[in-house]
């Protein structure tokens, strides 16, 4: 846990956050993949592009950022209240419960609104153990893709 003197805020993502979110993506992917530089850059570019498209479409769903002392250290995006498409926490802030807090906030917000009655996602190999720890179960075979692609779901 963080010292009580730190200001911790869980709040909505706003447009001016997108640059900082991109930095969280870059740092997180670079620290969590053993792919080649080109494959890592592909993952980063694809994820940032996906975030931009999501923002531009103003899609329905749930999104939140986790900030400490005004710095965004993690964020989550759940499209259409069932598709957990982005969850990233800066490497230096991992293993402090931030990812768990973001997932729990998404579960609480999406439970009554999910047309699927569950959250679904495709996890990287790196994050698979995390998703198991927060209650997700593998829902299909892994797909070959840079960084891994393992389908998980959380049923309500």
């Amino acid at each position: 846990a963080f010292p009580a003197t730190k200001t911790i805020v869980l709040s909505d993502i706003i447009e001016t956050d997108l640059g900082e979110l991109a930095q969280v993506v870059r740092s997180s992917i670079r620290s969590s993949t053993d792919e080649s530089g080109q494959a890592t850059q592909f993952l980063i570019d694809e994820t940032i592009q996906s975030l931009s498209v999501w923002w531009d479409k103003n899609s329905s769903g749930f999104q939140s950022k986790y900030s400490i002392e005004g710095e965004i250290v993690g964020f989550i995006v759940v499209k259409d209240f069932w598709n957990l498409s982005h969850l990233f926490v800066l490497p230096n802030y991992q293993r402090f419960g931030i990812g768990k807090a973001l997932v729990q906030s998404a579960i609480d917000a999406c439970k009554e609104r999910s047309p699927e009655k569950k959250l679904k996602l495709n996890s990287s190999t790196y994050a698979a153990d995390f998703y198991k720890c927060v209650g997700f179960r593998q829902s299909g075979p892994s797909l070959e893709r840079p960084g891994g692609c393992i389908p998980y779901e959380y049923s309500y």
Side-chain angles (χ1 to χ4, degrees), residues 5-12 14 16-17 20-21 24 65-74 90 93:
T5 58
K6 298 279 188 187
T7 303
I8 298 170
V9 178
L10 205 58
S11 60
D12 289 344
I14 58 175
T16 55
D17 294 331
E20 203 170 345
L21 298 183
V24 173
K65 64 187 175 193
Y66 192 108
S67 303
I68 299 174
E69 297 292 313
E71 175 190 8
I72 298 172
V73 299
L90 285 173
Y93 290 91

Side-chain angles (χ1 to χ4, degrees), residues 58-115:
N58 196 19
S59 300
S60 71
F62 174 79
Q63 46 76 20
S64 186
K65 64 187 175 193
Y66 192 108
S67 303
I68 299 174
E69 297 292 313
E71 175 190 8
I72 298 172
V73 299
F75 72 94
I76 191 168
V77 173
V78 181
K79 296 175 182 175
D80 300 318
F81 299 103
W82 67 268
N83 178 9
L84 198 166
S85 60
H86 302 293
L87 174 62
F88 291 95
V89 175
L90 285 173
N92 291 342
Y93 290 91
Q94 292 176 2
R95 305 200 186 288
F96 288 104
I98 294 169
K100 185 176 183 179
L102 287 165
V103 168
Q104 190 59 56
S105 66
I107 289 169
D108 293 344
C110 297
K111 184 182 268 189
E112 300 301 321
R113 301 176 79 180
S114 171

Side-chain angles (χ1 to χ4, degrees), residues 19-79:
E20 203 170 345
L21 298 183
Q23 279 303 113
V24 173
V25 167
R26 284 184 198 96
S27 295
S28 298
I29 290 176
R30 284 189 182 122
S31 75
S32 65
T33 184
D34 56 2
E35 300 290 338
S36 71
Q38 188 174 5
T40 297
Q41 192 58 51
F42 168 79
L43 289 170
I44 291 168
D45 293 345
E46 182 181 67
T47 303
I48 292 171
Q49 175 66 23
S50 173
L51 268 175
S52 295
V53 168
W54 160 76
W55 186 263
D56 290 344
K57 285 186 173 182
N58 196 19
S59 300
S60 71
F62 174 79
Q63 46 76 20
S64 186
K65 64 187 175 193
Y66 192 108
S67 303
I68 299 174
E69 297 292 313
E71 175 190 8
I72 298 172
V73 299
F75 72 94
I76 191 168
V77 173
V78 181
K79 296 175 182 175

